[in-house]
Amino acid sequence: MNPGIDLQGSFVQALMDFGIPPGAAKVIWMPLPMGLMLVAATVGVLGSVWLERKISAAAQQRIGPEFIGPLGTLAPVADGLKLLFKEDIVPALADPWLFTLGPIIVAIPVFLSYLIVPFGQNLVISDLGTAIFLWIALSSIQPIGLLMSGYASNNKYSLLGGLRAAAQSISYEIPLALAVLAIAMMSNSLSTIDIVEQQSGYGILGWNIWRQPVGFLIFWIAALAECERLPFDLPEAEEELVAGYQTEYSGMKFALYYLASYVNLILSSLLVAVLYLGGWDFPIPVEAIAGWLNISETTPWLQVITGTLGITMTLLKAYVLVFTAILLRWTLPRVRIDQLLNLGWKFLLPVALVNLLLTAALKLAFPIAFGG
């Protein structure tokens, strides 16, 4: 079943019942999922920025934001408003077209990737049969925007940051893709819905993290590098490159980079939850819970409760991963650029390739356990 298409059909049919022509009804529908996705992603970024500040403050035995709203919850909103009204400066010797296109090319693919993320069993914008392939393709566009920004700024620090960002992204895309291919091989599908459903039925014991522990570690390390989170924030290392490819940016262009960074972190956490932690699946099978309570699984109110809790489970798993990423920022030292590239090419790539080949061999030998 395709939940996104069913939702679209219901909405279009409701508009047609009011006398709106089918073509116009479809045109009205088209911007709604994207608008909802943009609002949800922006709210997630505001929450993540607040968490970053509070968790970092706790790690450093500080209080953090306290007075702008309850417990400082409106501090990220104040930051956003400041960037919104800040002057947008383009350096005199910069290439204005490339300088403007850079942040846009970086931000748009990240937002588009949310199209294939299933937040719940019936909550996905588009259940594509090639969803994972689409995400890998979209993520490969970002290095172009980063390199474009570094080159167009006409600043040596920006250029070095752009070159580092492109090299880092290319280095970790391949292990990331190989880790995802192992999951797709076990699930016999590139659809995120199918991957989650393949993990359901056995509770926490059916999650892919137990069958792909090496792939999980590869994916998480590569995802942190793709998001440029510490200890992999070499493209914008403040002590070396001022702010890397962001050095000459201000106002909303800088806000786009800031937004894309946190949106990408949330997206990576959601994809880890979907691919390795069962997505909306409960640690204890719903069938077992219904049996203990002597409740039929077809009871309408039980389906509503399980649907709501399923969305909560997806977001809770993603929150744990975001929390871990923030904690790692204040725990691990930054690696050198040569160490970062060696880790990607000389360690993660061969390990990811061996993991993929081993998964294929185990799938042939134990088809039931490995999704044959």
Side-chain angles (χ1 to χ4, degrees):
M1 183 180 70
N2 189 326
I5 292 178
D6 288 343
L7 183 59
Q8 175 184 354
S10 301
F11 183 85
V12 171
Q13 185 61 46
L15 292 179
M16 291 171 59
D17 292 341
F18 281 101
I20 298 176
K26 291 180 180 179
V27 171
I28 294 173
W29 157 263
M30 287 174 61
L32 291 182
M34 297 297 293
L36 180 62
M37 178 192 68
L38 288 172
V39 172
T42 304
V43 172
V45 167
L46 294 176
S48 299
V49 172
W50 179 80
L51 278 174
E52 177 105 54
R53 291 181 169 179
K54 297 300 282 189
I55 294 170
S56 62
Q60 300 170 4
Q61 296 184 341
R62 297 185 291 106
I63 296 176
E66 189 75 12
F67 301 107
I68 309 177
L71 297 177
T73 51
L74 295 181
V77 178
D79 288 340
L81 291 174
K82 179 193 74 172
L83 292 172
L84 180 63
F85 292 104
K86 194 172 183 179
E87 183 181 1
D88 184 15
I89 300 173
V90 178
L93 299 179
D95 187 312
W97 284 101
L98 297 182
F99 189 82
T100 302
L101 284 175
I104 298 173
I105 292 176
V106 170
I108 288 179
V110 183
F111 282 101
L112 288 177
S113 298
Y114 277 81
L115 291 171
I116 53 96
V117 176
F119 292 89
Q121 191 166 7
N122 295 308
L123 190 61
V124 61
I125 295 178
S126 182
D127 180 17
L128 298 175
T130 57
I132 295 299
F133 180 78
L134 173 65
W135 170 63
I136 293 174
L138 288 172
S139 65
S140 65
I141 299 175
Q142 282 184 290
I144 301 174
L146 299 175
L147 190 58
M148 186 182 296
S149 299
Y151 170 77
S153 297
N154 194 34
N155 179 302
K156 59 183 179 182
Y157 298 114
S158 299
L159 180 58
L160 286 172
L163 291 172
R164 281 187 178 186
Q168 178 172 319
S169 182
I170 293 170
S171 300
Y172 285 86
E173 268 182 15
I174 303 175
L176 187 73
L178 292 176
V180 174
L181 284 177
I183 293 293
M185 185 183 297
M186 290 198 312
S187 305
N188 298 316
S189 175
L190 291 170
S191 166
T192 49
I193 295 288
D194 293 343
I195 290 173
V196 175
E197 290 179 347
Q198 184 263 344
Q199 300 175 71
S200 62
Y202 301 98
I204 192 173
L205 298 178
W207 294 355
N208 283 332
I209 189 173
W210 308 118
R211 290 177 291 182
Q212 283 288 315
V214 176
F216 168 77
L217 292 175
I218 293 171
F219 188 96
W220 182 234
I221 293 172
L224 289 177
E226 289 282 316
C227 297
E228 297 174 9
R229 299 286 306 182
L230 266 162
F232 305 114
D233 68 333
L234 273 299
E236 47 191 275
E238 295 87 354
E239 295 87 346
E240 307 167 22
L241 304 179
V242 187
Y245 54 84
Q246 305 176 24
T247 301
E248 298 291 352
Y249 283 91
S250 63
M252 281 308 297
K253 291 189 181 73
F254 177 79
L256 275 178
Y257 276 124
Y258 197 73
L259 190 67
S261 173
Y262 280 96
V263 169
N264 203 8
L265 175 62
I266 298 170
L267 173 68
S268 300
S269 301
L270 286 168
L271 287 173
V272 172
V274 167
L275 298 176
Y276 294 95
L277 302 179
W280 64 79
D281 195 35
F282 294 86
I284 301 175
V286 176
E287 296 82 358
I289 298 175
W292 294 339
L293 299 177
N294 197 22
I295 301 174
S296 174
E297 296 178 35
T298 58
T299 305
W301 62 266
L302 179 63
Q303 293 179 346
V304 172
I305 292 175
T306 54
T308 304
L309 291 178
I311 299 170
T312 305
M313 285 300 302
T314 304
L315 297 177
L316 181 62
K317 293 169 184 176
Y319 164 77
V320 172
L321 293 162
V322 171
F323 178 88
T324 304
I326 295 172
L327 199 61
L328 287 174
R329 175 178 179 178
W330 305 104
T331 305
L332 300 176
R334 180 186 294 126
V335 299
R336 297 195 313 264
I337 184 65
D338 60 317
Q339 294 172 332
L340 179 139
L341 295 177
N342 285 337
L343 176 65
W345 289 107
K346 296 182 180 180
F347 182 76
L348 288 184
L349 178 58
V351 171
L353 186 58
V354 170
N355 178 68
L356 180 63
L357 297 175
L358 186 61
T359 301
L362 291 174
K363 182 179 173 66
L364 292 174
F366 307 100
I368 297 178
F370 284 84

